[in-house]
Amino acid sequence: MNDPTQPTTVRVFIALAPPDQAKKELARTLRPAYDTHPHMRWNRIEDWHITLAFLGELPAETVPLLQPPLADLAANHPPLCLALRGSGNFDDRVLWSGIDGDVDELHMLAADVRNAVKNCGVAFEDRPLRPHLTLARARRGDRSSAGEIAESFAGFTGHRWPAERLHLVGSNVGRSRGPIHYRDIEAWSFGGHKNLHGS
């Protein structure tokens, strides 16, 4: 029986998330910009993530089909060592921090994730991976703030950290007029479960 309170679609992506320490390190660097550019639409720090595959709006019943292959993929993949580094902007509006470390492995992981999704029969726009962490968006008509802020922390280099979990994430975009919030639908540890089931 359908639950009328449950959404029929969910906006989904697959991502990695920096640990709290790495996020705090970058947030400290950004603190002056929070004060000088309060009109930017700043992402919540707890929502910072590195998208590997953006699937868009999916029927809710499709989401469980993704979970077994993603769990298997994570179990057979070693953790990556990454760091947040530098800055930039897309289209003068989207402010981001770059990714350093095992970037080749990150591209291979993203390719594996996208293949797993395609093998489930889920169609999505397979854009080239540009590893980054989205921090904020400028309001329409503001073509300078993102570039100004990016310049202010262009030399930022964070400490390295292990990316230990693969996250299947859902968001409330399209169903709420408020800020975008993300929630883990499920997350799996990399390389940690291979021997738990006798394989």
Side-chain angles (χ1 to χ4, degrees):
M1 198 166 92
N2 286 340
D3 179 350
T5 63
Q6 289 300 309
T8 55
T9 62
V10 60
R11 194 174 173 94
V12 175
F13 57 89
I14 299 156
L16 304 178
D20 288 345
Q21 206 47 46
K23 291 191 283 193
K24 284 176 186 163
E25 196 177 18
L26 178 54
R28 275 196 302 272
T29 300
L30 287 173
R31 195 167 292 143
Y34 291 146
D35 293 334
T36 56
H37 294 77
H39 52 281
M40 290 286 283
R41 292 197 303 250
W42 292 97
N43 288 3
R44 299 188 319 161
I45 292 169
E46 56 266 41
D47 287 339
W48 285 356
H49 60 271
I50 303 158
T51 301
L52 302 177
F54 179 74
L55 309 187
E57 205 83 22
L58 297 181
E61 64 269 17
T62 301
V63 176
L65 302 177
L66 298 169
Q67 291 168 298
L70 290 174
D72 286 348
L73 189 157
N76 289 291
H77 205 287
L80 284 73
C81 188
L82 301 174
L84 301 176
R85 181 174 185 178
S87 62
N89 67 86
F90 297 135
D91 303 323
D92 293 330
R93 287 191 61 202
V94 179
L95 175 70
W96 51 262
S97 179
I99 308 299
D100 199 11
D102 295 337
V103 176
D104 289 345
E105 291 83 351
L106 183 63
H107 279 272
M108 286 190 280
L109 172 62
D112 290 345
V113 162
R114 293 169 187 215
N115 284 332
V117 171
K118 286 173 191 165
N119 290 339
C120 290
V122 174
F124 65 100
E125 191 179 344
D126 194 355
R127 296 177 185 166
L129 180 70
R130 297 166 77 179
H132 68 279
L133 196 72
T134 299
L135 304 172
R137 285 173 174 77
R139 299 189 183 279
R140 282 190 203 289
D142 178 356
R143 311 297 289 184
S144 61
S145 293
E148 288 167 10
I149 300 166
E151 211 171 292
S152 74
F153 73 105
F156 175 80
T157 303
H159 287 91
R160 292 198 165 206
W161 41 270
E164 296 179 325
R165 289 161 75 77
L166 183 67
H167 298 260
L168 179 63
V169 186
S171 81
N172 65 350
V173 171
R175 289 190 299 278
S176 166
R177 294 180 66 93
I180 301 169
H181 288 171
Y182 303 106
R183 61 179 177 82
D184 270 3
I185 296 167
E186 197 163 339
W188 302 273
S189 296
F190 286 121
H193 299 306
K194 275 190 277 197
N195 300 319
L196 293 183
H197 307 291
S199 57

